[in-house]
Amino acid sequence: MWFGGFQPFTLSDYPGCVAAIAFAQGCNFRCRFCHNTTLLHTPVHNVGLMNDDFVVKELENHRGSLKGLVVSGGEPTLQEDLLHFLSRIKDLGYKVKLDTNGSRPGVIQRLLKQELLDYVAMDVKSTMEGYAGLCGVPVSTDDILASIALIAASGISHHFRTTFGAPFMTEEALTQIKSLIPPGSSHIIQTFKPEFALDPELRGGRPSQ
Ligand code: SF4
């Protein structure tokens, strides 16, 4: 796999677990509010990126102090060798949390089946009608709904999350999104931070073309 960033320590990204975070390079969405803009482009020459071996070595070196790895992005499920990479992390004895946009339920299903995940956080970004507009690309809402159902029924720790901000989401839309969250699953509302948003209009600049 290829990672555009690695943070060796966090107490706030994996509930109840001292963890590192690896940020997978590349994303299939272009959410207007995204603030991870350097992670969006698919790796081509891999210049300045880190590979699996780098992350594995870091985790080998910090076995005593870290208990988990958060695999975030970008969108980790796009990379073909995610399953192999997570097998290596589990072999080291680490817990794994996956952050995903839910666009690839088939990959999530395989990871769950192989017991490679201990925690999943999935973004539910919009109402089904608003997904493509907010995420800047065509989105299969059937896939989003399939991922929600899979994760909710998985039996592992999980939560869903939505970034809420007045410029791109109404209270009514948020109420609709909440109705998509299955009973028994938690839903976290994240506050929109405009400073680094992908869409210049949300940063207070000129509308995107
Ligand atoms: S916020 Fe959207 S565009 Fe940004 S990394 Fe997440 S899914 Fe991709």
Side-chain angles (χ1 to χ4, degrees):
M1 284 187 73
W2 292 102
F3 299 95
F6 180 78
Q7 185 179 320
F9 180 79
T10 175
L11 288 172
S12 59
D13 291 87
Y14 191 152
C17 188
V18 183
I21 313 180
F23 296 91
Q25 184 68 36
C27 189
N28 52 345
F29 286 5
R30 292 292 180 270
C31 306
R32 295 181 64 202
F33 54 75
C34 180
H35 59 262
N36 287 333
T37 51
T38 59
L39 294 169
L40 300 187
H41 298 288
T42 306
V44 180
H45 302 300
N46 304 328
V47 175
L49 302 182
M50 290 149 272
N51 63 12
D52 316 30
D53 292 337
F54 172 88
V55 177
V56 167
K57 197 157 189 60
E58 284 286 319
L59 296 185
E60 278 174 347
N61 291 340
H62 295 91
R63 258 196 243 238
S65 53
L66 294 173
K67 300 295 175 207
L69 177 69
V70 179
V71 184
S72 189
E75 175 50 39
T77 61
L78 296 175
Q79 297 204 31
E80 293 299 321
D81 38 3
L82 175 63
L83 194 141
H84 175 65
F85 171 68
L86 294 187
S87 303
R88 294 178 72 188
I89 302 304
K90 296 296 284 179
D91 285 347
L92 292 174
Y94 279 85
K95 289 184 179 183
V96 170
K97 172 175 177 267
L98 175 73
D99 290 349
T100 179
N101 63 20
S103 61
R104 304 200 75 201
V107 175
I108 294 170
Q109 187 169 37
R110 281 202 293 283
L111 297 175
L112 288 169
K113 197 170 171 192
Q114 306 244 355
E115 300 184 346
L116 294 171
L117 303 177
D118 300 284
Y119 200 118
V120 182
M122 178 185 154
D123 298 332
V124 182
K125 294 181 182 292
S126 170
T127 62
M128 294 299 104
E129 297 73 27
Y131 241 92
L134 187 59
C135 297
V137 293
V139 176
S140 164
T141 51
D142 285 349
D143 284 344
I144 299 296
L145 293 171
S147 291
I148 292 173
L150 267 172
I151 293 165
S154 67
I156 67 167
S157 301
H158 65 275
H159 67 258
F160 299 97
R161 56 193 186 185
T162 299
T163 300
F164 178 74
F168 55 85
M169 189 180 293
T170 62
E171 291 280 356
E172 188 187 358
L174 185 61
T175 301
Q176 277 186 49
I177 293 168
K178 284 180 180 170
S179 73
L180 298 170
I181 308 302
S185 296
S186 57
H187 184 215
I188 292 172
I189 310 300
Q190 302 181 132
T191 308
F192 169 56
K193 294 183 183 143
E195 309 87 81
F196 305 108
L198 178 63
D199 183 344
E201 194 177 355
L202 297 182
R203 298 196 301 265
R206 293 190 309 173
S208 44
Q209 300 301 304

